[in-house]
Amino acid sequence: MSSSVAPIPDEQNGATPAFSPLYQQIKGLILQSLQQGQWKPGEVIPSETELAARFRVSQGTVRKAIDELAAENLVMRRQGKGTFVATHATPQVQYRFLKLLPDTGNDRIAGPAQRRVIECRRVRASADVARALALRSTDAVVQARRILSFAGVPTILEDIWLPGQAFKGLSAEQLANYPGPTYAMFELDFGVRMVRAEEKIRAVLPDAQQAQWLQIGAGTPLLSVERIAYTYNDMPMELRRGLYRTENHHYRNALN
Amino acid sequence: MSSSVAPIPDEQNGATPAFSPLYQQIKGLILQSLQQGQWKPGEVIPSETELAARFRVSQGTVRKAIDELAAENLVMRRQGKGTFVATHATPQVQYRFLKLLPDTGNDRIAGPAQRRVIECRRVRASADVARALALRSTDAVVQARRILSFAGVPTILEDIWLPGQAFKGLSAEQLANYPGPTYAMFELDFGVRMVRAEEKIRAVLPDAQQAQWLQIGAGTPLLSVERIAYTYNDMPMELRRGLYRTENHHYRNALN
DNA sequence: GAGTGGTCTAGACCACGCG
DNA sequence: GCGTGGTCTAGACCACTCA
């Protein structure tokens, strides 16, 4: 079928313009719908046959597009039911960005912790925060600081910066008491879905205040984890600086 | 086609035995050939059509099998040339298990470091080493310790344990002077290909000796990185304990 | 131009979930 | 029993590599 999916002519192009396979174009279109919130996190997207008809391509082509989206965790397939927009609320992938695990315990997550929010306010972005979030230095950001405790032991101290624009009205209450992953709360209350993240990890010593918050000695080494989380389109939407106690936990990473 | 790929009957099975799709079986067969070293790292494997004929399935089915192997980095496809057994010697994926990067510098690797081997000898496996490598406590292991320096600065101190059986004759000289990734040397000289790895990361303080080797003060926090590397079949083949200086480097991790 | 992987199609049938 | 994703096939054509 010589189809015609809007943007790229795809055939008879004078200048060999990089050549984008059909399924990539379809993927782009689906991605667009996801970005625009046409289908919300947790909802089904149209079936493969439906999409194939809509885009006037074969089901196999749509399939390959969705395969890639699934591989990137943007979408989840469930046989017999349909394909769903991925969400951090899904039990199986809750806290998938949290790599800190207890040393003991077969596996599975440090999970829902006790959260104590120390502060949460609107401020102007400092230079480095602005750079990380691709904002101007004068833009407003929400800055929060909280402590996560596991089994009563304060284990993570983290500072969070979010673009003020998208997170108007975020409260300490939400950060502390939302039942479930914070990223799920972001999806539900602000329509912001974190899609991937990058972390830079270092070993550091706490300053006096940090040591107090984490109830440790000044000489206790900590993991410093700086995370930038991205929404669709590689847009940075969160900067997070965490200090992790690792006497009884470790950061687990799988290399493939 | 009602094909017959050796092991699983695949059809008319009385007891609904988990059901393994054809392409998974094909994948298993290819995997077996890889394990047995029928095709060596860096070599081409037979073409898709050739494999399809050999296994009496369609090319699409072979394709899907190889797709998965490629996704797991066991194999590398190159259009127009063929499909190649992955190797740590490939420039683009060299040092892909080394996640420590310099803070400055656009990206790219800490790369080929200066390596100084402090020791390399055969010993009996201690209890924890034996457990990590799935050996008996009495089995021989090769134990090595070395320092990696970047731009003259000693940055990584690492202890390595390898099953004595598979690594008979490994010398300090090889560990120090092999031009290229150590894992490439393992492939070439011992026929052992590391396929994936898991790391547990903590923040620690060095003891006196470690501080001396890394030329740092006793209070300098370090990243402790414990890695278990696996060959085919999830067989653990290396235990590595690294201490990373992170004043000017960081451990980078991508979360998807 | 021959050979390899990459894309695309159309159609058949299977496994799963649910009413 | 129907609709969904999952598997499998066969065949056509495209893009890349190399002799």
Side-chain angles (χ1 to χ4, degrees), chain B:
Chain B
M1 257 289 116
S2 64
S3 68
S4 63
V5 178
I8 303 178
D10 177 36
E11 270 169 57
Q12 317 290 46
N13 252 330
T16 321
F19 169 64
S20 170
L22 231 201
Y23 76 89
Q24 286 288 3
Q25 301 177 44
I26 303 300
K27 182 184 170 188
L29 292 176
I30 298 177
L31 212 36
Q32 233 177 292
S33 292
L34 288 171
Q35 275 171 62
Q36 297 170 358
Q38 223 171 98
W39 314 304
K40 302 239 174 323
E43 291 179 5
V44 254
I45 73 172
S47 74
E48 295 179 354
T49 45
E50 153 74 24
L51 289 172
R54 183 180 306 183
F55 298 136
R56 289 139 156 296
V57 299
S58 82
Q59 195 217 352
T61 300
V62 172
R63 180 147 254 279
K64 178 138 194 183
I66 295 182
D67 275 348
E68 292 207 348
L69 294 172
E72 295 167 28
N73 292 308
L74 297 176
V75 113
M76 258 198 47
R77 328 187 73 146
R78 274 190 268 167
Q79 184 173 155
K81 302 192 68 174
T83 300
F84 298 76
V85 182
T87 164
H88 289 275
T90 307
Q92 306 101 44
V93 298
Q94 271 183 172
Y95 303 104
R96 69 178 222 267
F97 288 174
L98 177 57
K99 311 283 266 181
L100 194 71
L101 298 178
D103 289 340
T104 83
N106 331 329
D107 229 357
R108 248 21 276 154
I109 231 70
Q114 298 130 264
R115 299 187 277 235
R116 179 183 146 214
V117 176
I118 297 174
E119 68 165 84
C120 176
R121 51 191 237 265
R122 277 179 97 79
V123 299
R124 302 239 156 265
S126 66
D128 59 330
V129 169
R131 186 160 22 80
L133 295 178
L135 302 172
R136 280 155 301 172
S137 288
T138 56
D139 287 340
V141 295
V142 178
Q143 172 175 4
R145 174 171 295 164
R146 61 181 187 175
I147 295 171
L148 307 187
S149 296
F150 302 106
V153 181
T155 307
I156 298 180
L157 169 63
E158 63 186 6
D159 287 297
I160 304 177
W161 290 267
L162 300 159
Q165 178 98 16
F167 287 87
K168 269 196 231 302
L170 176 63
S171 69
E173 207 281 337
Q174 280 169 296
L175 280 174
N177 298 331
Y178 180 86
T182 298
Y183 288 139
M185 185 265 282
F186 288 172
E187 291 173 0
L188 202 57
D189 294 350
F190 301 93
V192 175
R193 169 161 163 70
M194 301 302 183
V195 150
R196 65 178 192 89
E198 288 181 3
E199 294 190 329
K200 293 184 183 181
I201 305 168
R202 290 184 174 75
V204 300
L205 293 177
D207 63 31
Q209 170 119 86
Q210 291 163 345
Q212 195 183 346
W213 272 322
L214 288 172
Q215 298 174 19
I216 51 175
T220 308
L222 297 171
L223 233 48
S224 158
V225 180
E226 176 173 311
R227 175 192 302 169
I228 299 179
Y230 299 83
T231 1
Y232 298 110
N233 252 66
D234 286 321
M235 197 187 297
M237 281 299 263
E238 183 197 54
L239 169 62
R240 211 182 261 219
R241 293 202 177 118
L243 289 179
Y244 296 2
R245 285 178 60 175
T246 56
E247 309 102 289
N248 299 114
H249 292 73
H250 61 272
Y251 184 105
R252 171 172 241 146
N253 195 22
L255 315 189
N256 298 302

Side-chain angles (χ1 to χ4, degrees), chain A residues 1 21-23 57-58 61 64 79-81:
Chain A
M1 260 286 121
L22 230 200
Y23 76 88
V57 298
S58 82
T61 300
K64 178 137 192 183
Q79 185 173 154
K81 302 193 69 175

Side-chain angles (χ1 to χ4, degrees), chain A residues 48-102:
Chain A
E48 295 179 355
T49 44
E50 153 75 23
L51 289 172
R54 182 180 306 183
F55 297 134
R56 288 137 157 299
V57 298
S58 82
Q59 196 216 350
T61 300
V62 170
R63 181 148 253 279
K64 178 137 192 183
I66 294 181
D67 275 346
E68 293 207 349
L69 294 171
E72 296 167 29
N73 292 308
L74 295 176
V75 114
M76 258 198 50
R77 330 187 72 147
R78 274 191 268 167
Q79 185 173 154
K81 302 193 69 175
T83 300
F84 298 75
V85 181
T87 164
H88 289 275
T90 307
Q92 306 101 42
V93 298
Q94 269 182 172
Y95 304 103
R96 71 179 220 266
F97 288 173
L98 178 57
K99 311 284 267 182
L100 194 71
L101 298 179

